[in-house]
Amino acid sequence: MSAQRFDLDLTRPSQSGVYFVGADDIDRLDRAATRDDLCVCRTDLAGCRDKDELLRRLAVSLQLPATFGYNWDALADCLRDLGWMPSWGYVLLFEHVDELRDAAGTDYDILLGMLDDAATFGEEHDRPWFAFLALPDSAFEHSSP
């Protein structure tokens, strides 16, 4: 996971991962991923305060199968295999993640771990797989340049 400004090549599986970005970066990343014919899924976490709401929002934004079990294991399986959305690569964009982080830190940490595992799985299978989590600018104020 990274909190630095960067210029990634979204077509390179070797750069797959979970990255923290500013809110202003989300639209730029959406355009770049769309240009590269990657599957883009946007999830707005404004007002999301717990695991149940997080899973409901992901079920909608990722168009999870009707058989989705609304638990962490089911989410982990789905994130590794997004086969119902055939694509040669995936970009997941999360907005307002600070609200989940502040309200349900454990759930937020579990989500980060799952996204990281899925990105590693994508890289190992030569498939671009990125998750970008937008944080407010204040989250980067104390970061090193």
Side-chain angles (χ1 to χ4, degrees):
M1 290 176 262
S2 173
Q4 300 177 4
R5 295 278 179 200
F6 51 84
D7 288 313
L8 287 176
D9 181 347
L10 298 177
T11 67
R12 297 188 55 176
S14 64
Q15 294 184 356
S16 293
V18 179
Y19 298 89
F20 297 104
V21 298
D24 293 341
D25 295 320
I26 293 293
D27 288 336
R28 179 182 56 82
L29 289 162
D30 190 340
R31 287 189 302 274
T34 300
R35 178 197 64 226
D36 292 332
D37 292 322
L38 298 166
C39 180
V40 178
C41 296
R42 289 179 80 142
T43 304
D44 188 348
L45 297 180
C48 185
R49 306 191 68 68
D50 61 29
K51 171 187 168 186
D52 292 337
E53 181 63 22
L54 171 65
L55 294 175
R56 278 192 291 279
R57 291 186 191 203
L58 288 171
V60 172
S61 65
L62 297 176
Q63 303 170 3
L64 296 177
T67 57
F68 176 61
Y70 289 90
N71 60 60
W72 290 128
D73 289 336
L75 179 61
D77 291 344
C78 288
L79 289 173
R80 283 179 157 224
D81 178 13
L82 297 168
W84 64 92
M85 295 185 304
S87 181
W88 73 283
Y90 300 91
V91 174
L92 280 60
L93 304 171
F94 292 87
E95 299 174 87
H96 305 107
V97 296
D98 55 315
E99 295 189 34
L100 177 66
R101 180 193 63 198
D102 294 344
T106 300
D107 295 336
Y108 172 81
D109 290 341
I110 291 170
L111 174 64
L112 289 181
M114 288 184 175
L115 295 172
D116 192 49
D117 288 345
T120 299
F121 186 81
E123 179 183 1
E124 290 170 351
H125 289 83
D126 201 32
R127 179 169 293 190
W129 202 107
F130 295 87
F132 295 98
L133 294 92
L135 293 171
D137 291 340
S138 62
F140 301 103
E141 289 175 359
H142 300 292
S143 298
S144 300

